[in-house]
Amino acid sequence: MIAVSNSSADLCQKENANSISLARISNGSLDRSMTPIKRGRRQSENLSRRNSPRRSRDSRISNGEVTEAVTLFEVISIGKRAIQSVVDDWIEAYQADRDAALLDLINFYIQCSGCQGVVTAELFQNPQNRNIMQKLTEEFDEETGLQFKKFMAYPWILTITWPVNLDTEDYPLIRPGIYWKKFRSNFCEFTAVLIQQCQYSVIYDGYLLNTIISLLLGLSDSCVRAFRHTSTLSAVKLLTALVRVVINLDINIDNSDRLYEVEKKRAELKRINPRLEQLDKKRKKLQQRHREIEDMMDALFKGTFLQRYRDIVSEIRALCIEEIGVWMKMYPHTYLNDSYLKYIGWMLHDKVPEVRLRSLIALQGLYEKRDFVSKMDLFTTRFKDRIISMTLDKDHEVCVQAMRLLVHMLRNCEDLFTTEDCETLYQFVYASHRPLAAAAGEFLYIGHLSAIREPINAEKTENSEHKIGQLKKLLDFFIESNFHEHVTYLVDSLWDCTPIFLKDWPCMTSILLQDAVEKRIGLSAVQENLLVELMLATIRQAVEGHPPMGRGTAKKLLSTKEKKAQLEDRERITEHFAETLPLLLIKFATNPDKLVNLLQIPRYFDIDLYFEAHMEKHLEALLKQMKSIAVSHSEAEVLEACSKTYSSLSNEKQSSPNCQVSLSKKELISHLVDTYSRVLDDVLQEGKEPMTAEDVYLISCTLRRLAAFHNAHNLNQWDLYQKTSALLMFDMPQQSLPAELVQPALQCMYYAILWQLLPIIEDPHTQEELSIYATRVKHFFQLCRKYLGHKYQSVREQAFLSLCDLLMLLHTRGGRMLCCVDSVLESELLSFVRQHVFQAEEEKSKDAVVSETNEDVTLVILHRKRMLLAVYCKLIVSSIVEMSSVAEIYKQYMKTYNDFGDIIKETLGRTRQINRIESAKTLVLCLKQLFLEHKEAHDNATPSSASFTNIKELARRFSLTFGMDHMKCRESIAMMHKQGIEFAFKEPATEDSLPPPNLPFLMLISEFSSKLLRADKRLVFGYLQRFASEQMMLCKGAGWHPLTVYSNTLLDNHDEESSSCGSYFSRDRVIYSTPHHLKRRSICEHVPGRALLYKNACDDQDSHCPSKSKKQNALHPHPLDGAVSMNSGLITIKLKSQNAAVNENNEEVDVDEIETDEVSKMKVQ
């Protein structure tokens, strides 16, 4: 509270004085000189909060004494007391001394703005001095560094002084954290409670609200963001509170008018009626108060909202739009018209997503009420297209809220959307952002699926025509949209708004099971397939509860209620489909597309219910149909689905169903193995006689069934490896068997080896068992290597994939004993990738017309090639194949960037993580091979040809992969330059005047010069001069241009003069930081004929040095700490500390020590 002297208080209460100084707030506290009340004070509440974040929130400790908060700001910011009691205390203080209490309230608003300056208040009521209003300005005092704002808060004149360096980006309303978020909530609540408690008393005294409104309007016009933001928030919240007061006044006025009319009818015969006069006075008083509040509301709207809704600060614009939506919803009589709606419409075009979001949310509160829609016809017509376009906003949340607003508009606005609008919005059900897709699903359900109205008095049954009609419309929509191939995304979009409709599985199965004769609903074959897929998608969604792939990064955490609902749905699914699924399998036994989806339904069953509900006969019928399907079908998708269903049913821990399923599976596998063995024996006995088509078909179908089941089940007890190996050994000499036999046979052998590896990894084993398994693995490797050159592509690819996958698995689990890769195998694998991935890609580019006419086939082929390349790159990344083999892959980076660029780039990054030096060597090797191929094709290394330009672009792409951290890749880049220089001068020139044949290779290495540190550039330049003599450096002509370009990339502008001397000292001496000595030498070396003279002079200068120093310079075996030396085959770099910084201005550098075993084969000429 604020204490004022008695004389000042008397003058304030009498209101006779023209001007009086009441108080001064310094650093957030009030100084009073004549008050007898003593309280513990602290320097600055805001500053103390920053310096002491762990201080007590409900008390202050000063000199060992606990003192309570004494200002409104402290009480509100602490938040320990209820806002109601705080307001009541302030009202009592206001009624006792309104000037002191009002000054305390003014101080509260200033402190909430984060101001730590001085506030001076003067009482001003002399009408003759009204011209002072013209002097209320914002000034700046250059001498004191303070800024002043003087404005009118009638009847107060307030002067706020604050430092110029006030941090306007840090004030309570925008500070992060839960504490300040709660403060903002308390701040808004304080204004609402204050008006609510004062609405029947001091609010109409003509003093309180006039002062507060004047204060807020003055602060909202400030150039300081903190003042403007805080006052705008308080002003709009004050207007919201006044709207509530007006609503109460409207109710009271209406009640008074009713009483007045009733009393008037009763007293028509009486001349004098005191009660009628009292009611009339009360009614007029309420009307007068209503006018006063409306005037205040109008002043706040015009003074605050009209100025701040277009503020430069987006937070201020957002809160203005948010509050005007509240006003329209609370008091539509005044605010719900086009004069106010236009502001929200304009803010739909705001550049900041948060402002657009608040505008949409404000409109949702209006369009969700049908009574409001009739008053918004003009606005709806004007801004409908803009709202529709906002569904494509770059901000996801804006898109979601725009779609939800359109849902409200669709519900309450008749004939608003055209057919084109609906078709556009319906397609959002396939959006990758799930909230947007869910909102679009609700729009689809209301606009398209709910158009069929169920009769009011119709008997509601499970298979009502209404539900069947909805299902048919949903299927037609999916087919006609032709936008997506998977109905799972459509189900996920509709799931939140229509779970009961999508869970009507009895209705779906009744449609599918109805006879063709009694068929009332004409579903086509496409619609039936889609209905089966829809049924499977709804079952999966009900049991798993997770969105499909691409609509969620992680699995959704389910609540207890959701888990209970899932268990109930699973029981319903099991009870219903246990009886109907065998019937569906019987009806669609010849339709593979429907069987693939129907066979997946048992994976979501609760197997225990079969015995708890005594449904064993249904399980037996299901297993019987599955066995019949497995024996009669040979499609890979059907067999895979059947095999996985057997696996899911037998994985249950309950013994009874597990035994029944296992017995059925064993009978099936035994039947298949017996069939295969019988036909195989016949084939082997016939010998060289060709197999009949019937035998080929029978063996092929049986092998495919066995391979599908061997993938998910351990069938080693039937020894399928030996049986399939006998067939392949029979085919090995001539390789005459068709691919339909060889490919599934290889798959069976591969799965058999994997299942045999499992006990070796998990269980103890003997050395004999390991030796037998190693022999079998080696035998399988030999078979796969033989079939890499098979005439059928499917066999070749199956052999390659089996070989690579098994190598990968044995390397990680089996150890080196089982995984042995020699150079011949590496060469065969690389040759296969080069021939079947990249050469086929070149042939495809020559025949581009065919690929355009058959896009689906092209995509399938591309997918298969990407799989082959990815499998091979895994071998390289896992260090199974030598890293140098990847150079052949890198050569295709530019040519096949669109198809394989991501795989190659990922391989490059992984190999660099394994070994940076070896990875750099592979890049140089790749460039060398391309350079030699270019040189051979053009008979010389012409840098101006198109092929050389492509190689140079490839080198540039390689350089970009090193990133911006040059210190991290320092050794790799240095190694690349070293090998590049050695390769460029490897072959001598045919004549003395001609450059070396490989000299253009320096153009390629120059692309990596930008990744060198400045000190390393000098080092590399010195190493270059070991191969390029002074005469070469001075030669001119097109042939010597690569040397000039490369040397320029190694020289900085300010180091060009000292480059030659750096190279001289790097040959035989340690590089020291002697700029003056280098500068003198460089002047001489750039003059032809004076280099030798200067060298002798340097030798003479060294002769005057002490013997200890001379010996160290001449015979140093290792460079000194902090120095770098580069010899013909050795780069030695020593590190002082891991975090040592590189001083690029000096020649001394500190880097990691690296060595290379390559020795220069060229002597310096």
Side-chain angles (χ1 to χ4, degrees):
M1 300 299 296
I2 303 176
V4 189
S5 62
N6 295 332
S7 58
S8 299
D10 294 339
L11 290 174
C12 293
Q13 292 175 1
K14 295 179 181 179
E15 298 181 358
N16 294 328
N18 293 335
S19 177
I20 183 169
S21 177
L22 286 177
R24 169 167 295 181
I25 305 173
S26 178
N27 292 329
S29 61
L30 299 176
D31 297 334
R32 282 157 289 201
S33 59
M34 298 181 64
T35 175
I37 301 175
K38 295 183 179 180
R39 296 185 179 181
R41 308 305 250 165
R42 58 191 184 84
Q43 181 179 1
S44 173
E45 194 272 334
N46 288 340
L47 187 59
S48 175
R49 186 179 305 281
R50 294 177 183 175
N51 298 334
S52 303
R54 296 183 179 179
R55 65 185 181 83
S56 175
R57 296 290 174 86
D58 56 350
S59 63
R60 313 295 193 273
I61 299 178
S62 177
N63 297 326
E65 299 180 357
V66 179
T67 59
E68 296 183 354
V70 295
T71 64
L72 283 175
F73 177 75
E74 293 174 343
V75 174
I76 298 300
S77 61
I78 293 172
K80 289 295 182 180
R81 295 179 58 190
I83 302 298
Q84 181 81 29
S85 62
V86 175
V87 172
D88 292 340
D89 292 345
W90 184 87
I91 293 176
E92 292 179 3
Y94 180 82
Q95 291 174 349
D97 187 352
R98 67 178 187 179
D99 291 327
L102 193 58
L103 188 59
D104 196 7
L105 185 61
I106 294 172
N107 178 42
F108 166 71
Y109 285 116
I110 300 301
Q111 285 184 312
C112 287
S113 301
C115 180
Q116 303 176 12
V118 179
V119 178
T120 305
E122 297 178 356
L123 192 64
F124 171 76
Q125 291 195 2
N126 190 353
Q128 298 178 359
N129 294 331
R130 296 290 182 180
N131 56 0
I132 195 172
M133 293 288 294
Q134 301 175 359
K135 301 179 181 180
L136 304 182
T137 57
E138 225 171 83
E139 300 177 354
F140 171 67
D141 188 355
E142 296 182 358
E143 295 181 359
T144 60
L146 299 177
Q147 193 164 354
F148 304 91
K149 180 175 179 61
K150 194 169 186 178
F151 60 92
M152 187 74 176
Y154 186 81
W156 302 81
I157 299 177
L158 299 178
T159 303
I160 304 177
T161 305
W162 70 92
V164 178
N165 59 353
L166 175 64
D167 188 6
T168 59
E169 298 298 329
D170 182 21
Y171 53 93
L173 291 186
I174 64 172
R175 287 174 187 166
I178 300 177
Y179 176 79
W180 293 110
K181 184 178 181 180
K182 184 178 180 182
F183 167 79
R184 178 188 174 100
S185 176
N186 292 338
F187 175 72
C188 299
E189 185 182 358
F190 174 79
T191 303
V193 175
L194 177 63
I195 300 302
Q196 180 184 358
Q197 295 299 104
C198 298
Q199 62 178 330
Y200 300 112
S201 56
V202 296
I203 195 176
Y204 305 105
D205 63 354
Y207 187 74
L208 174 62
L209 284 186
N210 291 342
T211 304
I212 294 177
I213 292 174
S214 299
L215 169 69
L216 297 178
L217 294 183
L219 290 177
S220 65
D221 196 32
S222 173
C223 62
V224 180
R225 170 181 173 176
F227 292 152
R228 199 168 65 251
H229 190 182
T230 307
S231 60
T232 302
L233 176 61
S234 181
V236 296
K237 292 297 181 181
L238 177 60
L239 180 52
T240 304
L242 292 177
V243 169
R244 295 190 181 97
V245 175
V246 168
I247 294 174
N248 293 334
L249 287 174
D250 288 338
I251 296 174
N252 294 333
I253 291 173
D254 185 61
N255 294 335
S256 299
D257 290 339
R258 292 180 182 179
L259 291 175
Y260 180 80
E261 293 297 332
V262 172
E263 195 67 27
K264 185 177 180 180
K265 292 179 180 179
R266 291 179 181 179
E268 288 181 354
L269 301 177
K270 297 181 181 180
R271 295 181 179 179
I272 300 175
N273 189 349
R275 179 169 175 76
L276 186 63
E277 293 178 358
Q278 293 177 359
L279 291 175
D280 186 44
K281 289 181 180 180
K282 181 180 179 181
R283 186 181 59 162
K284 291 181 179 179
K285 183 180 180 180
L286 291 174
Q287 292 175 354
Q288 177 63 27
R289 289 184 174 182
H290 191 278
R291 287 191 294 268
E292 291 178 5
I293 299 299
E294 283 190 337
D295 292 340
M296 296 176 187
M297 292 166 53
D298 187 62
L300 283 172
F301 183 83
K302 293 180 179 179
T304 303
F305 181 87
L306 290 183
Q307 303 299 326
R308 301 276 71 83
Y309 86 94
R310 51 187 178 180
D311 195 280
I312 192 174
V313 180
S314 61
E315 290 88 346
I316 299 177
R317 301 197 303 271
L319 67 91
C320 288
I321 296 302
E322 181 181 10
E323 289 301 317
I324 195 175
V326 175
W327 304 336
M328 292 177 180
K329 192 175 181 179
M330 292 175 56
Y331 201 47
H333 175 72
T334 300
Y335 292 103
L336 189 58
N337 54 63
D338 295 329
S339 300
Y340 294 94
L341 284 169
K342 63 183 180 182
Y343 300 113
I344 300 180
W346 292 343
M347 290 299 102
L348 293 175
H349 299 271
D350 196 276
K351 295 181 179 180
V352 179
E354 182 65 22
V355 181
R356 301 195 298 271
L357 182 64
R358 298 291 181 87
S359 303
L360 292 171
I361 295 176
L363 291 175
Q364 288 179 20
L366 302 177
Y367 278 101
E368 66 184 3
K369 295 185 177 182
R370 187 177 293 271
D371 298 338
F372 292 170
V373 174
S374 59
K375 301 179 181 180
M376 304 171 64
D377 293 337
L378 181 60
F379 176 86
T380 303
T381 305
R382 171 66 177 82
F383 291 100
K384 183 196 73 172
D385 294 337
R386 171 56 185 165
I387 297 173
I388 293 175
S389 66
M390 293 179 74
T391 55
L392 297 172
D393 196 277
K394 62 181 180 180
D395 186 82
H396 288 310
E397 189 61 27
V398 174
C399 297
V400 174
Q401 298 302 330
M403 186 61 71
R404 290 177 181 172
L405 175 58
L406 292 171
V407 171
H408 293 305
M409 297 172 68
L410 180 64
R411 280 176 175 168
N412 299 319
C413 301
E414 297 181 358
D415 301 329
L416 176 62
F417 297 99
T418 63
T419 305
E420 291 76 10
D421 295 337
C422 293
E423 291 178 355
T424 302
L425 296 174
Y426 290 161
Q427 302 303 325
F428 283 95
V429 296
Y430 304 110
S432 59
H433 189 57
R434 192 180 186 279
L436 177 59
E442 187 176 1
F443 188 91
L444 172 65
Y445 181 76
I446 297 172
H448 188 68
L449 302 180
S450 296
I452 301 176
R453 299 296 180 184
E454 189 174 4
I456 299 176
N457 297 325
E459 182 181 357
K460 296 184 178 180
T461 61
E462 287 186 336
N463 302 328
S464 63
E465 296 294 336
H466 170 69
K467 296 179 181 179
I468 295 175
Q470 282 185 322
L471 277 174
K472 188 174 181 181
K473 290 198 69 173
L474 181 60
L475 298 177
D476 292 338
F477 164 76
F478 183 80
I479 296 173
E480 292 172 0
S481 61
N482 196 21
F483 193 78
H484 209 282
E485 296 181 357
H486 303 286
V487 75
T488 309
Y489 294 88
L490 178 60
V491 171
D492 182 60
S493 301
L494 294 169
W495 191 257
D496 294 339
C497 61
T498 61
I500 299 177
F501 163 65
L502 294 176
K503 291 180 182 179
D504 194 359
W505 297 298
C507 180
M508 299 180 188
T509 53
S510 64
I511 296 174
L512 293 172
L513 289 174
Q514 61 185 342
D515 296 334
V517 179
E518 301 177 357
K519 204 169 187 179
R520 295 170 296 171
I521 303 176
L523 290 182
S524 62
V526 177
Q527 289 177 331
E528 284 185 347
N529 292 337
L530 185 58
L531 182 57
V532 174
E533 186 179 354
L534 175 68
M535 186 169 60
L536 174 63
T538 56
I539 293 173
R540 182 189 297 113
Q541 189 78 16
V543 176
E544 295 181 350
H546 303 303
M549 185 178 297
R551 279 195 178 169
T553 56
K555 290 187 177 181
K556 178 182 177 183
L557 296 178
L558 303 178
S559 62
T560 305
K561 184 178 180 181
E562 291 174 337
K563 291 180 180 179
K564 183 179 178 180
Q566 283 188 356
L567 293 177
E568 293 176 354
D569 290 336
R570 190 176 185 185
E571 292 179 0
R572 288 180 53 212
I573 292 169
T574 306
E575 293 174 355
H576 175 71
F577 284 97
E579 181 180 358
T580 57
L581 183 58
L583 301 178
L584 291 172
L585 293 177
I586 294 174
K587 181 176 180 180
F588 302 110
T590 58
N591 193 323
D593 295 333
K594 294 184 179 67
L595 289 177
V596 170
N597 293 317
L598 291 174
L599 287 172
Q600 298 181 43
I601 295 178
R603 303 179 194 175
Y604 307 100
F605 282 0
D606 185 3
I607 305 300
D608 298 338
L609 286 179
Y610 273 107
F611 294 90
E612 293 176 1
H614 304 287
M615 296 186 297
E616 294 87 347
K617 61 179 182 178
H618 297 310
L619 178 59
E620 184 179 354
L622 175 62
L623 295 175
K624 181 180 179 181
Q625 293 304 318
M626 291 175 59
K627 180 179 178 181
S628 175
I629 292 171
V631 172
S632 59
H633 283 269
S634 60
E635 294 83 4
E637 295 82 3
V638 177
L639 295 175
E640 181 181 0
C642 190
S643 174
K644 290 183 178 180
T645 301
Y646 267 111
S647 177
S648 62
L649 293 177
S650 60
N651 280 338
E652 298 292 337
K653 297 182 179 180
Q654 299 296 331
S655 58
S656 298
N658 190 19
C659 292
Q660 191 170 355
V661 175
S662 299
L663 181 60
S664 175
K665 181 183 67 176
K666 187 175 182 180
E667 292 177 355
L668 173 62
I669 301 300
S670 299
H671 172 72
L672 295 177
V673 173
D674 292 342
T675 303
Y676 172 73
S677 300
R678 185 179 65 256
V679 179
L680 179 63
D681 293 339
D682 295 340
V683 172
L684 295 179
Q685 290 178 2
E686 292 176 359
K688 298 183 180 180
E689 295 183 6
M691 299 175 59
T692 62
E694 183 179 357
D695 294 339
V696 171
Y697 178 77
L698 183 58
I699 296 180
S700 174
C701 294
T702 307
L703 283 175
R704 272 182 281 181
R705 296 183 184 111
L706 290 173
F709 276 87
H710 211 347
N711 186 16
H713 305 273
N714 188 359
L715 308 182
N716 285 336
Q717 58 179 324
W718 286 277
D719 198 12
L720 287 179
Y721 184 87
Q722 291 295 340
K723 291 180 172 59
T724 52
S725 175
L727 178 64
L728 294 182
M729 294 302 295
F730 171 77
D731 178 61
M732 184 59 64
Q734 298 179 355
Q735 293 188 0
S736 59
L737 292 181
E740 291 81 2
L741 299 181
V742 179
Q743 183 181 1
L746 284 174
Q747 289 179 348
C748 287
M749 296 181 66
Y750 172 70
Y751 295 140
I753 289 180
L754 294 186
W755 282 108
Q756 291 174 9
L757 178 63
L758 187 62
I760 294 178
I761 298 174
E762 297 179 351
D763 302 331
H765 56 274
T766 62
Q767 188 66 25
E768 183 180 358
E769 293 175 347
L770 185 62
S771 177
I772 295 174
Y773 183 75
T775 304
R776 181 163 290 187
V777 169
K778 185 180 296 185
H779 175 257
F780 181 72
F781 279 174
Q782 293 176 355
L783 286 176
C784 290
R785 294 173 67 174
K786 293 291 184 181
Y787 282 111
L788 287 177
H790 199 271
K791 58 183 177 180
Y792 295 110
Q793 182 179 2
S794 59
V795 176
R796 295 194 302 264
E797 293 180 355
Q798 181 62 46
F800 179 80
L801 293 176
S802 301
L803 187 59
C804 294
D805 289 343
L806 191 56
L807 285 172
M808 187 74 185
L809 184 61
L810 293 177
H811 176 77
T812 56
R813 299 294 183 90
R816 285 290 180 182
M817 178 179 177
L818 301 177
C819 178
C820 183
V821 181
D822 53 9
S823 58
V824 179
L825 179 58
E826 290 184 8
S827 176
E828 291 176 356
L829 295 176
L830 180 59
S831 176
F832 183 89
V833 173
R834 189 189 304 116
Q835 180 179 358
H836 296 87
V837 176
F838 297 117
Q839 289 185 3
E841 193 70 20
E842 295 177 359
E843 295 176 0
K844 185 193 74 171
S845 61
K846 296 178 181 178
D847 193 8
V849 179
V850 177
S851 62
E852 293 177 359
T853 58
N854 199 354
E855 295 182 358
D856 295 338
V857 176
T858 304
L859 290 177
V860 172
I861 296 175
L862 177 61
H863 175 71
R864 188 174 65 248
K865 291 180 180 179
R866 287 175 57 86
M867 182 172 59
L868 296 175
L869 179 61
V871 169
Y872 180 74
C873 290
K874 286 181 182 179
L875 299 180
I876 298 174
V877 172
S878 302
S879 301
I880 301 174
V881 176
E882 292 294 335
M883 192 178 295
S884 58
S885 303
V886 80
E888 289 290 335
I889 309 297
Y890 293 161
K891 290 164 59 175
Q892 311 295 330
Y893 183 64
M894 292 294 297
K895 298 179 182 178
T896 61
Y897 181 80
N898 293 332
D899 296 337
F900 312 114
D902 56 338
I903 300 177
I904 299 175
K905 192 174 182 180
E906 181 67 18
T907 305
L908 177 58
R910 295 289 184 89
T911 55
R912 187 170 295 160
Q913 293 175 4
I914 297 173
N915 192 325
R916 294 183 177 275
I917 301 299
E918 291 298 325
S919 178
K921 288 182 179 179
T922 58
L923 295 180
V924 178
L925 178 61
C926 171
L927 296 177
K928 287 180 181 178
Q929 293 177 357
L930 289 174
F931 179 81
L932 293 177
E933 292 176 2
H934 163 76
K935 180 180 176 183
E936 182 180 358
H938 295 80
D939 296 333
N940 56 11
T942 306
S944 59
S945 62
S947 60
F948 189 86
T949 305
N950 295 334
I951 303 174
K952 195 171 185 295
E953 176 63 20
L954 178 62
R956 188 185 70 84
R957 295 286 186 94
F958 287 160
S959 175
L960 294 177
T961 60
F962 285 95
M964 300 301 296
D965 191 355
H966 296 176
M967 177 61 74
K968 192 175 182 180
C969 60
R970 186 178 188 183
E971 299 88 349
S972 304
I973 298 297
M975 181 63 62
M976 295 182 70
H977 281 276
K978 176 184 178 300
Q979 290 193 348
I981 294 173
E982 292 173 354
F983 178 76
F985 293 93
K986 182 178 181 180
E987 297 182 12
T990 56
E991 299 180 8
D992 295 339
S993 60
L994 296 178
N998 297 338
L999 190 64
F1001 189 77
L1002 296 178
M1003 296 282 290
L1004 306 179
I1005 300 299
S1006 65
E1007 296 293 336
F1008 301 90
S1009 299
S1010 60
K1011 302 299 179 181
L1012 286 170
L1013 299 178
R1014 185 178 300 171
D1016 294 346
K1017 287 184 178 180
R1018 296 185 179 184
L1019 184 65
V1020 173
F1021 185 80
Y1023 191 70
L1024 173 65
Q1025 289 190 330
R1026 292 185 58 85
F1027 297 89
S1029 62
E1030 183 179 358
Q1031 291 78 11
M1032 292 183 181
M1033 301 292 290
L1034 297 177
C1035 290
K1036 297 182 179 180
W1040 298 98
H1041 181 68
L1043 179 61
T1044 305
V1045 172
Y1046 181 62
S1047 60
N1048 289 338
T1049 60
L1050 299 176
L1051 298 176
D1052 294 330
N1053 294 332
H1054 60 279
D1055 289 338
E1056 288 181 358
E1057 294 182 356
S1058 59
S1059 60
S1060 297
C1061 68
S1063 65
Y1064 171 74
F1065 278 88
S1066 65
R1067 294 179 187 177
D1068 301 313
R1069 303 174 183 269
V1070 181
I1071 300 178
Y1072 295 97
S1073 179
T1074 53
H1076 182 68
H1077 183 261
L1078 297 179
K1079 184 176 180 181
R1080 289 192 302 132
R1081 182 175 181 273
S1082 62
I1083 297 175
C1084 297
E1085 280 209 352
H1086 278 283
V1087 180
R1090 297 187 61 182
L1092 182 60
L1093 178 63
Y1094 185 78
K1095 183 178 184 300
N1096 296 332
C1098 291
D1099 293 340
D1100 294 340
Q1101 183 178 1
D1102 291 339
S1103 63
H1104 297 286
C1105 296
S1107 59
K1108 181 178 180 180
S1109 176
K1110 291 170 60 179
K1111 182 178 180 181
Q1112 181 180 5
N1113 289 337
L1115 302 175
H1116 63 284
H1118 301 289
L1120 299 178
D1121 290 342
V1124 179
S1125 66
M1126 194 171 197
N1127 296 323
S1128 60
L1130 179 66
I1131 303 177
T1132 305
I1133 309 174
K1134 288 194 174 182
L1135 176 66
K1136 288 183 178 179
S1137 64
Q1138 292 182 351
N1139 298 325
V1142 179
N1143 186 1
E1144 295 187 358
N1145 294 326
N1146 299 328
E1147 294 181 7
E1148 296 183 359
V1149 294
D1150 299 322
V1151 295
D1152 297 330
E1153 180 177 354
I1154 62 173
E1155 293 186 359
T1156 62
D1157 54 357
E1158 295 186 5
V1159 182
S1160 174
K1161 298 180 181 180
M1162 263 309 268
K1163 291 185 178 180
V1164 181
Q1165 295 180 357

